[in-house]
Short mmCIF file of all heavy atoms in Angstrom, two decimals:
data_model
loop_
_atom_site.label_atom_id
_atom_site.label_comp_id
_atom_site.label_asym_id
_atom_site.label_seq_id
_atom_site.Cartn_x
_atom_site.Cartn_y
_atom_site.Cartn_z
N TYR A 151 -20.84 -23.29 -0.39
CA TYR A 151 -20.72 -24.74 -0.38
C TYR A 151 -19.51 -25.15 0.45
O TYR A 151 -18.50 -24.45 0.49
CB TYR A 151 -20.58 -25.27 -1.81
CG TYR A 151 -21.84 -25.08 -2.61
CD1 TYR A 151 -22.08 -23.90 -3.30
CD2 TYR A 151 -22.80 -26.09 -2.66
CE1 TYR A 151 -23.25 -23.73 -4.02
CE2 TYR A 151 -23.97 -25.92 -3.38
CZ TYR A 151 -24.19 -24.74 -4.06
OH TYR A 151 -25.36 -24.57 -4.77
N PHE A 152 -19.59 -26.36 1.05
CA PHE A 152 -18.50 -26.86 1.88
C PHE A 152 -17.34 -27.37 1.04
O PHE A 152 -16.20 -27.27 1.43
CB PHE A 152 -19.03 -27.98 2.79
CG PHE A 152 -18.10 -28.30 3.92
CD1 PHE A 152 -17.90 -27.40 4.95
CD2 PHE A 152 -17.43 -29.51 3.97
CE1 PHE A 152 -17.05 -27.70 6.00
CE2 PHE A 152 -16.58 -29.81 5.02
CZ PHE A 152 -16.38 -28.91 6.04
N ASP A 153 -17.61 -27.91 -0.12
CA ASP A 153 -16.53 -28.45 -0.95
C ASP A 153 -16.38 -27.64 -2.23
O ASP A 153 -17.22 -26.84 -2.59
CB ASP A 153 -16.78 -29.93 -1.27
CG ASP A 153 -18.07 -30.16 -2.05
OD1 ASP A 153 -18.76 -29.18 -2.34
OD2 ASP A 153 -18.37 -31.31 -2.35
N ALA A 154 -15.27 -27.88 -2.90
CA ALA A 154 -14.93 -27.10 -4.10
C ALA A 154 -15.84 -27.42 -5.28
O ALA A 154 -15.97 -26.63 -6.20
CB ALA A 154 -13.48 -27.35 -4.49
N ASN A 155 -16.48 -28.58 -5.27
CA ASN A 155 -17.32 -28.99 -6.40
C ASN A 155 -18.77 -28.53 -6.26
O ASN A 155 -19.63 -28.96 -7.02
CB ASN A 155 -17.28 -30.52 -6.56
CG ASN A 155 -15.88 -30.99 -6.88
OD1 ASN A 155 -15.15 -30.33 -7.61
ND2 ASN A 155 -15.50 -32.13 -6.31
N ASN A 156 -19.03 -27.67 -5.28
CA ASN A 156 -20.37 -27.13 -5.06
C ASN A 156 -21.42 -28.24 -4.90
O ASN A 156 -22.51 -28.16 -5.45
CB ASN A 156 -20.78 -26.18 -6.19
CG ASN A 156 -19.96 -24.91 -6.17
OD1 ASN A 156 -19.28 -24.63 -5.20
ND2 ASN A 156 -20.02 -24.17 -7.24
N ARG A 157 -21.07 -29.28 -4.11
CA ARG A 157 -22.01 -30.37 -3.90
C ARG A 157 -22.73 -30.26 -2.56
O ARG A 157 -23.90 -30.58 -2.48
CB ARG A 157 -21.29 -31.72 -3.97
CG ARG A 157 -20.99 -32.14 -5.40
CD ARG A 157 -20.40 -33.49 -5.40
NE ARG A 157 -19.11 -33.40 -4.70
CZ ARG A 157 -18.08 -34.16 -4.95
NH1 ARG A 157 -18.16 -35.12 -5.83
NH2 ARG A 157 -16.95 -34.01 -4.32
N GLU A 158 -22.05 -29.83 -1.50
CA GLU A 158 -22.68 -29.81 -0.19
C GLU A 158 -22.95 -28.36 0.24
O GLU A 158 -22.05 -27.64 0.68
CB GLU A 158 -21.79 -30.50 0.85
CG GLU A 158 -22.49 -30.67 2.17
CD GLU A 158 -21.62 -31.39 3.19
OE1 GLU A 158 -20.53 -31.88 2.85
OE2 GLU A 158 -22.05 -31.43 4.35
N LEU A 159 -24.18 -27.94 0.08
CA LEU A 159 -24.57 -26.58 0.43
C LEU A 159 -24.64 -26.45 1.95
O LEU A 159 -25.31 -27.23 2.61
CB LEU A 159 -25.94 -26.26 -0.18
CG LEU A 159 -26.51 -24.87 0.11
CD1 LEU A 159 -25.65 -23.79 -0.51
CD2 LEU A 159 -27.93 -24.77 -0.43
N ILE A 160 -23.89 -25.50 2.50
CA ILE A 160 -23.92 -25.33 3.96
C ILE A 160 -24.61 -24.05 4.39
O ILE A 160 -25.17 -23.99 5.47
CB ILE A 160 -22.50 -25.39 4.59
CG1 ILE A 160 -21.62 -24.27 4.04
CG2 ILE A 160 -21.87 -26.73 4.38
CD1 ILE A 160 -20.38 -24.04 4.84
N MET A 161 -24.55 -23.01 3.55
CA MET A 161 -25.20 -21.74 3.89
C MET A 161 -25.95 -21.23 2.68
O MET A 161 -25.35 -20.66 1.77
CB MET A 161 -24.16 -20.71 4.34
CG MET A 161 -23.53 -20.99 5.65
SD MET A 161 -22.36 -19.69 6.06
CE MET A 161 -21.24 -20.62 7.09
N PRO A 162 -27.25 -21.44 2.65
CA PRO A 162 -28.01 -20.91 1.51
C PRO A 162 -28.02 -19.39 1.50
O PRO A 162 -28.02 -18.76 2.55
CB PRO A 162 -29.43 -21.45 1.75
CG PRO A 162 -29.27 -22.55 2.73
CD PRO A 162 -28.07 -22.22 3.55
N LYS A 163 -27.99 -18.83 0.33
CA LYS A 163 -28.02 -17.38 0.13
C LYS A 163 -29.18 -16.77 0.91
O LYS A 163 -30.31 -17.25 0.83
CB LYS A 163 -28.15 -17.11 -1.36
CG LYS A 163 -28.32 -15.68 -1.76
CD LYS A 163 -28.22 -15.57 -3.24
CE LYS A 163 -29.49 -15.09 -3.86
NZ LYS A 163 -29.35 -14.89 -5.29
N GLY A 164 -28.89 -15.72 1.67
CA GLY A 164 -29.92 -14.97 2.38
C GLY A 164 -30.37 -15.57 3.69
O GLY A 164 -31.08 -14.92 4.44
N ARG A 165 -29.97 -16.82 4.02
CA ARG A 165 -30.40 -17.41 5.29
C ARG A 165 -29.44 -16.96 6.39
O ARG A 165 -28.25 -17.18 6.31
CB ARG A 165 -30.40 -18.93 5.22
CG ARG A 165 -30.90 -19.51 6.56
CD ARG A 165 -31.06 -20.97 6.57
NE ARG A 165 -32.08 -21.41 5.63
CZ ARG A 165 -32.20 -22.67 5.23
NH1 ARG A 165 -31.37 -23.59 5.66
NH2 ARG A 165 -33.15 -23.00 4.39
N PRO A 166 -29.97 -16.32 7.43
CA PRO A 166 -29.09 -15.76 8.48
C PRO A 166 -28.36 -16.85 9.26
O PRO A 166 -28.90 -17.91 9.54
CB PRO A 166 -30.07 -15.02 9.39
CG PRO A 166 -31.33 -14.88 8.63
CD PRO A 166 -31.36 -15.99 7.65
N VAL A 167 -27.09 -16.56 9.60
CA VAL A 167 -26.26 -17.42 10.43
C VAL A 167 -25.97 -16.64 11.71
O VAL A 167 -25.42 -15.54 11.64
CB VAL A 167 -24.94 -17.79 9.71
CG1 VAL A 167 -24.02 -18.57 10.63
CG2 VAL A 167 -25.23 -18.57 8.44
N GLN A 168 -26.35 -17.18 12.85
CA GLN A 168 -26.16 -16.46 14.12
C GLN A 168 -24.68 -16.22 14.41
O GLN A 168 -23.83 -17.04 14.08
CB GLN A 168 -26.81 -17.23 15.27
CG GLN A 168 -26.89 -16.41 16.53
CD GLN A 168 -27.71 -17.09 17.62
OE1 GLN A 168 -28.45 -18.02 17.35
NE2 GLN A 168 -27.55 -16.62 18.83
N VAL A 169 -24.39 -15.09 15.04
CA VAL A 169 -23.03 -14.69 15.41
C VAL A 169 -22.86 -14.88 16.91
O VAL A 169 -23.72 -14.46 17.69
CB VAL A 169 -22.77 -13.22 15.02
CG1 VAL A 169 -21.38 -12.77 15.45
CG2 VAL A 169 -22.95 -13.02 13.52
N ALA A 170 -21.75 -15.49 17.33
CA ALA A 170 -21.46 -15.68 18.75
C ALA A 170 -21.31 -14.33 19.45
O ALA A 170 -20.70 -13.40 18.90
CB ALA A 170 -20.19 -16.50 18.92
N LYS A 171 -21.86 -14.22 20.65
CA LYS A 171 -21.89 -12.94 21.38
C LYS A 171 -20.50 -12.37 21.65
O LYS A 171 -20.35 -11.17 21.74
CB LYS A 171 -22.67 -13.10 22.67
CG LYS A 171 -24.15 -13.31 22.45
CD LYS A 171 -24.97 -12.96 23.65
CE LYS A 171 -26.44 -13.23 23.48
NZ LYS A 171 -27.11 -12.52 22.45
N GLY A 172 -19.49 -13.21 21.77
CA GLY A 172 -18.13 -12.72 22.02
C GLY A 172 -17.60 -11.80 20.93
O GLY A 172 -16.73 -10.98 21.16
N LEU A 173 -18.14 -11.94 19.71
CA LEU A 173 -17.69 -11.11 18.58
C LEU A 173 -18.39 -9.75 18.53
O LEU A 173 -17.98 -8.88 17.77
CB LEU A 173 -17.92 -11.86 17.26
CG LEU A 173 -17.16 -13.18 17.10
CD1 LEU A 173 -17.64 -13.91 15.86
CD2 LEU A 173 -15.67 -12.94 17.03
N TYR A 174 -19.45 -9.57 19.32
CA TYR A 174 -20.27 -8.36 19.24
C TYR A 174 -19.46 -7.08 19.47
O TYR A 174 -19.76 -6.04 18.90
CB TYR A 174 -21.41 -8.41 20.25
CG TYR A 174 -22.58 -9.29 19.86
CD1 TYR A 174 -22.45 -10.28 18.90
CD2 TYR A 174 -23.80 -9.13 20.48
CE1 TYR A 174 -23.53 -11.10 18.57
CE2 TYR A 174 -24.89 -9.94 20.14
CZ TYR A 174 -24.74 -10.91 19.19
OH TYR A 174 -25.80 -11.71 18.85
N THR A 175 -18.44 -7.13 20.33
CA THR A 175 -17.71 -5.90 20.68
C THR A 175 -17.01 -5.27 19.49
O THR A 175 -16.75 -4.08 19.49
CB THR A 175 -16.65 -6.18 21.77
OG1 THR A 175 -15.73 -7.17 21.27
CG2 THR A 175 -17.28 -6.65 23.05
N ASP A 176 -16.71 -6.06 18.45
CA ASP A 176 -15.98 -5.53 17.30
C ASP A 176 -16.86 -5.35 16.06
O ASP A 176 -16.38 -5.18 14.96
CB ASP A 176 -14.80 -6.44 16.97
CG ASP A 176 -13.67 -6.27 17.96
OD1 ASP A 176 -13.90 -5.76 19.07
OD2 ASP A 176 -12.52 -6.65 17.64
N ILE A 177 -18.18 -5.39 16.24
CA ILE A 177 -19.11 -5.16 15.13
C ILE A 177 -19.55 -3.70 15.17
O ILE A 177 -19.95 -3.19 16.21
CB ILE A 177 -20.31 -6.12 15.22
CG1 ILE A 177 -19.84 -7.56 15.02
CG2 ILE A 177 -21.37 -5.75 14.19
CD1 ILE A 177 -20.93 -8.60 15.17
N ILE A 178 -19.42 -3.03 14.02
CA ILE A 178 -19.74 -1.60 13.92
C ILE A 178 -20.71 -1.37 12.75
O ILE A 178 -20.79 -2.20 11.85
CB ILE A 178 -18.46 -0.76 13.72
CG1 ILE A 178 -17.73 -1.18 12.43
CG2 ILE A 178 -17.54 -0.89 14.93
CD1 ILE A 178 -16.57 -0.28 12.04
N PRO A 179 -21.41 -0.21 12.75
CA PRO A 179 -22.27 0.11 11.60
C PRO A 179 -21.44 0.25 10.32
O PRO A 179 -20.34 0.79 10.35
CB PRO A 179 -22.91 1.44 11.98
CG PRO A 179 -22.78 1.53 13.47
CD PRO A 179 -21.52 0.77 13.82
N SER A 180 -21.97 -0.23 9.23
CA SER A 180 -21.26 -0.16 7.95
C SER A 180 -21.49 1.19 7.28
O SER A 180 -22.61 1.68 7.25
CB SER A 180 -21.78 -1.27 7.02
OG SER A 180 -21.24 -1.12 5.73
N SER A 181 -20.42 1.76 6.76
CA SER A 181 -20.56 3.02 6.01
C SER A 181 -20.90 2.71 4.55
O SER A 181 -21.49 3.53 3.86
CB SER A 181 -19.28 3.84 6.10
OG SER A 181 -18.18 3.07 5.65
N LYS A 182 -20.56 1.53 4.08
CA LYS A 182 -20.80 1.15 2.68
C LYS A 182 -22.21 0.58 2.49
O LYS A 182 -22.86 0.87 1.49
CB LYS A 182 -19.75 0.12 2.25
CG LYS A 182 -19.81 -0.25 0.79
CD LYS A 182 -18.67 -1.18 0.44
CE LYS A 182 -18.71 -1.57 -1.03
NZ LYS A 182 -17.62 -2.49 -1.37
N TYR A 183 -22.65 -0.25 3.43
CA TYR A 183 -23.95 -0.89 3.33
C TYR A 183 -24.89 -0.30 4.36
O TYR A 183 -24.87 -0.68 5.52
CB TYR A 183 -23.83 -2.41 3.53
CG TYR A 183 -22.80 -3.06 2.64
CD1 TYR A 183 -21.56 -3.44 3.14
CD2 TYR A 183 -23.07 -3.29 1.29
CE1 TYR A 183 -20.61 -4.03 2.32
CE2 TYR A 183 -22.13 -3.89 0.47
CZ TYR A 183 -20.90 -4.25 0.99
OH TYR A 183 -19.96 -4.83 0.18
N LYS A 184 -25.71 0.66 3.95
CA LYS A 184 -26.58 1.39 4.87
C LYS A 184 -27.57 0.44 5.57
O LYS A 184 -28.21 -0.38 4.93
CB LYS A 184 -27.32 2.47 4.11
CG LYS A 184 -27.95 3.52 5.00
CD LYS A 184 -28.27 4.75 4.19
CE LYS A 184 -28.86 5.83 5.04
NZ LYS A 184 -27.90 6.59 5.77
N GLY A 185 -27.65 0.57 6.89
CA GLY A 185 -28.56 -0.26 7.67
C GLY A 185 -27.99 -1.62 8.06
O GLY A 185 -28.67 -2.40 8.70
N TYR A 186 -26.73 -1.90 7.68
CA TYR A 186 -26.10 -3.17 8.00
C TYR A 186 -24.88 -2.90 8.88
O TYR A 186 -24.48 -1.76 9.09
CB TYR A 186 -25.67 -3.92 6.73
CG TYR A 186 -26.84 -4.39 5.91
CD1 TYR A 186 -27.35 -3.60 4.88
CD2 TYR A 186 -27.43 -5.62 6.16
CE1 TYR A 186 -28.43 -4.04 4.13
CE2 TYR A 186 -28.51 -6.06 5.41
CZ TYR A 186 -29.00 -5.26 4.40
OH TYR A 186 -30.07 -5.70 3.67
#
Side-chain angles (χ1 to χ4, degrees):
Y151 292 87
F152 196 69
D153 61 0
N155 297 323
N156 292 347
R157 283 185 295 210
E158 188 179 353
L159 179 65
I160 61 165
M161 290 181 208
K163 174 171 116 176
R165 182 175 296 164
V167 174
Q168 191 171 344
V169 177
K171 291 201 183 299
L173 299 171
Y174 283 19
T175 59
D176 285 19
I177 294 177
I178 60 172
S180 172
S181 55
K182 185 175 180 181
Y183 307 103
K184 196 162 182 81
Y186 293 92

